[in-house]
Amino acid sequence: MIQQIPEDQIPLHIIKLLKESKKREFQELLTELQPYDIARIFEGLPEKHHTRFLLFLSSEQIAELIQELENEQQLKVLTKLGIEKSGQVMDLMDNDDLASLLQDLSPDKIEELLSGMKKEESTIVQNIMNYEPETAGRLMTNRFVWIPHYFTVRETVNKLKSFAEFSETINYLYVIDDEKKLVGVVSYREIILAEETEKIEDIMFNRVVSVTADTDQEDVARFIERYDFLAIPVVEENNVLVGIVTVDDIIDVVIREANEDIEKLSASGKSIDFDTPAFIAAYRRLPWLILLLFIGVISGTIISSFEDTLSQVVALAFFMPMIAGMTGNTGTQSLAVVVRGLISRDMDKQVVIKLIWREFKVSLIIGITCAILIFFIALIWRQDPTLGIVVGSSLFITLIIGTMAGTIIPLTLYKFDIDPAVASGPLITTLNDILSLLIYFGIATMFISKLM
Amino acid sequence: MIQQIPEDQIPLHIIKLLKESKKREFQELLTELQPYDIARIFEGLPEKHHTRFLLFLSSEQIAELIQELENEQQLKVLTKLGIEKSGQVMDLMDNDDLASLLQDLSPDKIEELLSGMKKEESTIVQNIMNYEPETAGRLMTNRFVWIPHYFTVRETVNKLKSFAEFSETINYLYVIDDEKKLVGVVSYREIILAEETEKIEDIMFNRVVSVTADTDQEDVARFIERYDFLAIPVVEENNVLVGIVTVDDIIDVVIREANEDIEKLSASGKSIDFDTPAFIAAYRRLPWLILLLFIGVISGTIISSFEDTLSQVVALAFFMPMIAGMTGNTGTQSLAVVVRGLISRDMDKQVVIKLIWREFKVSLIIGITCAILIFFIALIWRQDPTLGIVVGSSLFITLIIGTMAGTIIPLTLYKFDIDPAVASGPLITTLNDILSLLIYFGIATMFISKLM
């Protein structure tokens, strides 16, 4: 019956069921939907239906629904539920999702919300919030299955049966010793292939790849991507197992980190999406633009110091935007290569030297090609070989400097543990703008007598 | 014993085992390592040890190893193995990985390699290669487990046992009807919780989220990310199940798509990484730079058409880089917001109108703020209120136009199914450069008598 309702009719049908108080049919329909879709339907419903909608759901279902909502909506729902019910729901939420909901709230509000939860669950959430943001500790969940090393396959399967409802993902079983230290991992595949009487110790994989709770989330992502894992165990420094990070969280990390790189490289302002209000979006974008404005004024001052040269040969102004633009672009090109390369590559001295040398060769090839091209363009257009030489040789030098700045600056920042993407538009552009103008007008001033 | 070897000693130890022909110890060591790490060790070994290394591995192990190597290395290994063995290895490789290895080879070479494979396996690979690049069909694997709808849980577990070695990921079991149409999905969790005698039909989830073979890989990634799936089924148009796409491939897709967006937004040239030779990197970067060079020449022509204005008021040149730079940046900011926003958001008319209106308000706020700021700077620096008004009002107008161009152009491209990121540096920069110069000098020319 359910399958016969076309997808776009579902919201209307749900309103009908809510109005007629048909809880059983409502439940039948909902169990066939994904939490993400239920959340979209919930959001789309008129506000007045929300209370009954939530009333018709079990705590488990609300926990699933709430994880697919935006922070603001999550709080609204929790408030609607009241302390007791919201506590039950939060007990069932993934700890990492709950921690990320709570992190932006005031201490009072956090305490109020946590007060309805079971003691052991709220302690876990508070522990997670003690880890630095963007680390494995913040992403991990404690909803995983561990088994003692002395278990047999049969005992393992029995334990699994009792935990199946509970664990976020049962894809790997982690094996621990008497001190709770991680000693092995077993996959489903091995459990299914093994005899019931075999010992877990004998079929487990010993060299477990794990991360510590303070591992940066980008490194966690790198491990999961490299090894094609569905989850990775998180240990304390003494190798005691404390949680797992699952692949679905890692996809979010990868998307978020890529967005951050783009934000920084294009100086486009932090976390602006389609729903950001105009005032906030403008507020986040303005710092970069104002910075660029002052950089522009500095460039202007440099140009004004060559006022004599410029007023004697106004044609010099024609090539200014081209030289500044190209120097900026070659710098950004190198920057993008370095920033994205660092994501999938471990850096050592040899790699760095090889990269700098490669970029130097690139800059030579680019510099020579573009210099020759602009020489002929200037010659044909302005009928002035000296102007061609001035513009061509300036471009040659600025392209080399721009490329090297775009390579060496992010590498240096990385070396000092600063995110290389902050070198972004602003820093590279400033430097390249100023250097290119100085070089261009410097060379022009040297040739001024021949240019007139 | 194995665990006692520290990680950095492993390669040396392996060379020792190879030299002494200790195949058993070699195997013991290797079964404890991840394919990714084995591949890095293999690459790091001196070439002369490669043949024996491969000789010591089973076909299954070589198939796992080879999937972690670069295309070039993969071909080297396959050639070393000879037709028969390489056929066995390719039979065991994931079809999607094999297809992506083969896609760049000549038809002759493809035929040669496929000739050693089992007929049914090579047919599957050839089928995959018939799908468009960057679609679900190209990413999917046929190594998954399906069960008929009339199976009981016990029958299912038995089938699983016989397929456990074979299927790439057994996380979900897909249920098909007599015509091979996808009718349901069951997770491990449900299998474990169910009684052995229950029917799969009764415990399966009916409303399966699936994609068709021609679905764009970005959309596949969006589904997996939204629903936190570990795999998604791929069907033909008649709903016949033909494969699955797994989450590990999706992580690669997300990283690749983000890199492509960055390449396009920063006009940094296609797929340049740390290992790209200088000549090729320069070759890939040059088109953008040469394009920028010609754009620069066009800008120069525009400036030269205002030569009179400029030679009368040389100070106009001082503000040129600032206006062009800021217009370019506000355009790139909007572009980045649109391009990344499109990744996680379905677009409809309402969303588009709301976004354009938001960006217009943003451009007003930005424009007013920056115009006032530059007015006072110009006033203080050059002691000339008219110059301040010319620069300020030009900046106001160009910021609005730049922001709107950066919003509307990528949205229009998206509407016509063109990747909006190609609007990138070049297109937005050209337009904004040219427009900003025309507006700036246009306004200046209007005020020329007052400026002198």
Side-chain angles (χ1 to χ4, degrees):
Chain A
M1 182 208 96
I2 297 148
Q3 285 224 313
Q4 285 154 14
I5 306 170
E7 262 179 55
D8 54 343
Q9 304 276 317
I10 293 176
L12 279 178
H13 196 74
I14 281 181
I15 292 180
K16 192 164 155 271
L17 294 176
L18 286 171
K19 278 189 178 157
E20 296 170 5
S21 270
K22 292 192 173 160
K23 185 168 172 181
R24 204 177 52 81
E25 285 92 333
F26 177 85
Q27 273 293 346
E28 257 172 33
L29 178 57
L30 251 65
T31 48
E32 276 296 315
L33 297 175
Q34 296 290 335
Y36 175 89
D37 294 324
I38 297 176
R40 295 297 81 76
I41 291 169
F42 179 78
E43 285 178 336
L45 285 186
E47 193 84 22
K48 59 180 175 181
H49 296 302
H50 280 185
T51 311
R52 182 168 283 175
F53 192 104
L54 292 173
L55 213 63
F56 276 11
L57 295 179
S58 66
S59 299
E60 285 81 9
Q61 286 172 318
I62 301 180
E64 281 187 339
L65 161 70
I66 211 168
Q67 299 189 114
E68 301 293 336
L69 297 172
E70 294 294 319
N71 280 3
E72 215 177 305
Q73 280 277 350
Q74 290 182 323
L75 280 177
K76 259 195 200 161
V77 171
L78 287 178
T79 313
K80 243 192 193 116
L81 294 177
I83 289 293
E84 197 191 340
K85 185 83 184 252
S86 75
Q88 285 170 18
V89 168
M90 288 193 296
D91 285 344
L92 292 163
M93 280 176 70
D94 294 336
N95 319 124
D96 53 327
D97 291 334
L98 186 51
S100 87
L101 163 65
L102 295 176
Q103 68 187 358
D104 299 326
L105 302 180
S106 69
D108 286 357
K109 185 77 194 166
I110 294 178
E111 206 176 313
E112 186 198 320
L113 282 170
L114 291 181
S115 68
M117 289 179 73
K118 283 190 205 146
K119 188 76 195 131
E120 66 263 34
E121 288 289 337
S122 66
T123 315
I124 291 169
V125 174
Q126 280 170 315
N127 282 345
I128 288 183
M129 290 171 69
N130 286 336
Y131 291 108
E132 289 286 309
E134 312 213 329
T135 61
R138 275 297 181 95
L139 292 175
M140 73 188 180
T141 170
N142 67 328
R143 303 197 196 283
F144 63 95
V145 180
W146 54 265
I147 38 177
H149 59 113
Y150 51 78
F151 261 32
T152 62
V153 169
R154 186 180 298 128
E155 287 170 305
T156 306
V157 171
N158 286 338
K159 175 161 182 179
L160 273 181
K161 284 200 183 185
S162 56
F163 277 89
E165 286 276 23
F166 157 84
S167 67
E168 186 177 358
T169 49
I170 330 184
N171 296 296
Y172 307 118
L173 309 173
Y174 298 99
V175 187
I176 60 174
D177 68 8
D178 303 333
E179 293 168 303
K180 287 196 143 201
K181 289 188 183 175
L182 180 65
V183 291
V185 63
V186 193
S187 73
Y188 262 97
R189 197 179 288 209
E190 276 120 14
I191 297 279
I192 290 174
L193 290 177
E195 293 300 317
E196 287 210 322
T197 50
E198 271 188 275
K199 279 208 156 189
I200 287 296
E201 270 179 327
D202 299 327
I203 62 167
M204 75 187 184
F205 188 84
N206 291 311
R207 202 178 271 274
V208 191
V209 177
S210 63
V211 294
T212 56
D214 58 0
T215 305
D216 188 277
Q217 63 180 10
E218 281 196 77
D219 293 325
V220 181
R222 205 181 300 178
F223 279 120
I224 288 203
E225 186 247 321
R226 248 179 213 178
Y227 296 126
D228 292 345
F229 287 158
L230 299 175
I232 196 166
V234 184
V235 294
E236 298 278 10
E237 265 153 44
N238 49 13
N239 209 27
V240 168
L241 183 63
V242 289
I244 64 167
V245 176
T246 53
V247 69
D248 55 302
D249 290 329
I250 289 306
I251 292 194
D252 297 338
V253 167
V254 169
I255 293 177
R256 218 156 46 224
E257 294 280 348
N259 282 350
E260 280 178 25
D261 279 349
I262 290 176
E263 281 162 14
K264 286 174 192 157
L265 284 172
S266 63
S268 63
K270 236 183 126 118
S271 20
I272 300 173
D273 63 28
F274 288 5
D275 301 316
T276 313
F279 190 77
I280 293 176
Y283 179 79
R284 288 183 183 157
R285 285 167 63 159
L286 266 172
W288 297 121
L289 289 168
I290 292 176
L291 190 65
L292 276 177
L293 191 143
F294 281 101
I295 294 169
V297 172
I298 296 171
S299 305
T301 326
I302 294 172
I303 303 172
S304 78
S305 70
F306 291 101
E307 191 164 356
D308 286 346
T309 310
L310 194 56
S311 58
Q312 281 162 355
V313 189
V314 177
L316 284 172
F318 308 164
F319 296 95
M320 244 167 51
M322 187 272 296
I323 288 184
M326 288 186 67
T327 312
N329 190 243
T330 191
T332 318
Q333 287 185 333
S334 295
L335 180 66
V337 169
V338 173
V339 167
R340 290 309 286 181
L342 288 172
I343 286 171
S344 46
R345 191 63 170 269
D346 306 315
M347 294 301 270
D348 58 33
K349 214 171 163 183
Q350 209 191 334
V351 176
V352 169
I353 291 171
K354 202 182 132 207
L355 179 66
I356 293 177
W357 177 236
R358 199 272 307 269
E359 290 296 297
F360 181 68
K361 286 189 285 182
V362 169
S363 73
L364 281 184
I365 300 172
I366 287 173
I368 291 170
T369 314
C370 294
I372 292 175
L373 211 56
I374 199 66
F375 169 78
F376 283 108
I377 290 173
L379 187 67
I380 294 164
W381 180 22
R382 308 297 303 177
Q383 310 283 337
D384 182 347
T386 318
L387 186 67
I389 289 170
V390 168
V391 177
S393 57
S394 302
L395 190 60
F396 176 69
I397 296 171
T398 59
L399 283 180
I400 291 174
I401 292 176
T403 309
M404 296 322 288
T407 311
I408 292 169
I409 292 174
L411 286 173
T412 313
L413 292 173
Y414 182 78
K415 165 107 185 131
F416 289 105
D417 265 338
I418 306 170
D419 181 351
V422 300
S424 75
L427 189 58
I428 299 281
T429 314
T430 328
L431 256 169
N432 285 350
D433 253 24
I434 293 173
L435 286 174
S436 65
L437 288 172
L438 283 174
I439 291 165
Y440 178 45
F441 282 108
I443 291 177
T445 312
M446 274 163 48
F447 282 85
I448 191 74
S449 57
K450 298 213 174 150
L451 279 170
M452 286 166 64
Chain B
M1 182 209 92
I2 297 147
Q3 286 224 312
Q4 286 153 15
I5 305 169
E7 262 180 54
D8 54 343
Q9 303 275 317
I10 293 176
L12 279 178
H13 194 75
I14 282 181
I15 291 181
K16 193 163 154 272
L17 293 176
L18 286 172
K19 277 189 180 157
E20 295 169 6
S21 271
K22 291 189 172 162
K23 185 170 174 181
R24 207 176 49 82
E25 286 92 331
F26 176 86
Q27 273 293 347
E28 260 172 30
L29 179 57
L30 251 65
T31 47
E32 277 296 316
L33 297 174
Q34 296 290 336
Y36 175 88
D37 295 324
I38 298 176
R40 296 296 82 75
I41 292 169
F42 179 78
E43 283 177 337
L45 286 186
E47 192 83 23
K48 61 180 173 181
H49 296 302
H50 280 185
T51 310
R52 182 168 284 173
F53 192 104
L54 293 173
L55 214 60
F56 276 11
L57 296 178
S58 66
S59 299
E60 286 80 10
Q61 287 172 317
I62 301 180
E64 282 187 339
L65 162 70
I66 212 167
Q67 298 188 113
E68 302 293 336
L69 297 172
E70 295 293 320
N71 279 4
E72 214 177 304
Q73 281 277 350
Q74 290 182 323
L75 280 179
K76 257 194 202 163
V77 170
L78 287 178
T79 313
K80 238 185 199 122
L81 293 176
I83 288 293
E84 197 189 341
K85 186 85 184 250
S86 74
Q88 286 170 18
V89 167
M90 289 193 296
D91 284 344
L92 293 161
M93 280 176 71
D94 294 337
N95 320 124
D96 52 330
D97 291 334
L98 187 51
S100 87
L101 164 64
L102 294 177
Q103 68 187 1
D104 299 325
L105 302 180
S106 67
D108 286 358
K109 185 76 194 168
I110 295 177
E111 205 175 316
E112 187 197 319
L113 282 170
L114 291 181
S115 68
M117 289 178 73
K118 281 189 205 149
K119 188 76 194 132
E120 66 264 33
E121 288 289 338
S122 65
T123 313
I124 292 167
V125 174
Q126 280 170 314
N127 283 345
I128 289 182
M129 291 172 69
N130 285 337
Y131 291 108
E132 288 287 307
E134 312 210 332
T135 61
R138 275 297 181 96
L139 291 174
M140 73 188 180
T141 168
N142 67 327
R143 302 196 196 286
F144 63 95
V145 180
W146 53 266
I147 38 177
H149 60 113
Y150 51 77
F151 261 32
T152 62
V153 170
R154 184 181 299 127
E155 286 170 307
T156 305
V157 171
N158 285 339
K159 174 158 183 180
L160 273 181
K161 285 202 183 184
S162 56
F163 276 90
E165 286 277 24
F166 156 84
S167 70
E168 184 178 0
T169 48
I170 330 186
N171 296 296
Y172 307 117
L173 308 173
Y174 298 100
V175 187
I176 59 173
D177 68 8
D178 303 333
E179 291 168 306
K180 290 195 140 200
K181 289 188 183 175
L182 180 64
V183 291
V185 63
V186 192
S187 73
Y188 263 97
R189 198 176 289 207
E190 277 122 12
I191 297 280
I192 289 175
L193 290 176
E195 294 300 317
E196 288 211 322
T197 49
E198 273 187 273
K199 277 210 161 188
I200 287 296
E201 267 177 330
D202 298 327
I203 62 168
M204 74 187 185
F205 186 87
N206 292 312
R207 202 178 272 272
V208 191
V209 178
S210 63
V211 294
T212 56
D214 58 359
T215 305
D216 187 277
Q217 62 179 11
E218 282 196 78
D219 294 325
V220 181
R222 205 180 301 177
F223 279 121
I224 287 204
E225 187 247 320
R226 252 179 210 178
Y227 297 125
D228 293 345
F229 287 158
L230 299 174
I232 196 166
V234 183
V235 295
E236 296 280 8
E237 266 153 45
N238 48 13
N239 208 28
V240 168
L241 182 63
V242 289
I244 64 167
V245 176
T246 54
V247 69
D248 56 299
D249 289 331
I250 289 307
I251 293 193
D252 297 337
V253 166
V254 169
I255 294 177
R256 219 158 43 224
E257 294 279 349
N259 283 349
E260 280 178 22
D261 279 349
I262 290 176
E263 281 163 13
K264 286 174 192 155
L265 284 171
S266 63
S268 63
K270 235 180 129 127
S271 22
I272 299 174
D273 63 28
F274 289 4
D275 302 315
T276 314
F279 190 76
I280 292 173
Y283 178 78
R284 288 182 183 157
R285 286 168 63 160
L286 267 172
W288 297 120
L289 290 168
I290 292 175
L291 190 64
L292 276 177
L293 192 142
F294 281 101
I295 294 168
V297 172
I298 295 171
S299 305
T301 324
I302 294 171
I303 303 171
S304 77
S305 69
F306 291 100
E307 191 164 356
D308 286 345
T309 310
L310 193 58
S311 58
Q312 282 161 352
V313 190
V314 177
L316 285 172
F318 308 163
F319 296 95
M320 242 168 53
M322 187 272 295
I323 288 184
M326 288 187 65
T327 312
N329 190 241
T330 193
T332 317
Q333 286 184 335
S334 295
L335 180 66
V337 169
V338 173
V339 167
R340 291 309 285 180
L342 288 172
I343 287 172
S344 45
R345 192 64 169 268
D346 305 314
M347 295 302 268
D348 58 33
K349 212 170 166 185
Q350 208 190 339
V351 176
V352 169
I353 290 170
K354 203 181 132 208
L355 179 67
I356 292 176
W357 177 236
R358 199 273 308 269
E359 290 296 299
F360 180 68
K361 286 188 285 182
V362 168
S363 72
L364 280 184
I365 301 172
I366 287 173
I368 291 170
T369 315
C370 294
I372 293 175
L373 210 58
I374 199 66
F375 169 77
F376 284 108
I377 291 174
L379 187 66
I380 294 164
W381 180 23
R382 306 299 302 178
Q383 310 281 338
D384 183 348
T386 318
L387 187 67
I389 290 169
V390 168
V391 176
S393 57
S394 301
L395 191 59
F396 176 70
I397 297 171
T398 59
L399 283 179
I400 292 173
I401 291 177
T403 309
M404 296 322 288
T407 311
I408 292 169
I409 292 176
L411 286 173
T412 312
L413 291 174
Y414 182 76
K415 166 107 185 129
F416 290 104
D417 265 339
I418 305 171
D419 181 351
V422 301
S424 76
L427 189 58
I428 298 282
T429 313
T430 326
L431 256 168
N432 284 351
D433 253 25
I434 292 173
L435 285 173
S436 65
L437 288 172
L438 282 174
I439 291 164
Y440 178 45
F441 282 108
I443 292 177
T445 310
M446 275 162 49
F447 283 84
I448 192 73
S449 56
K450 296 210 175 157
L451 279 170
M452 285 169 64

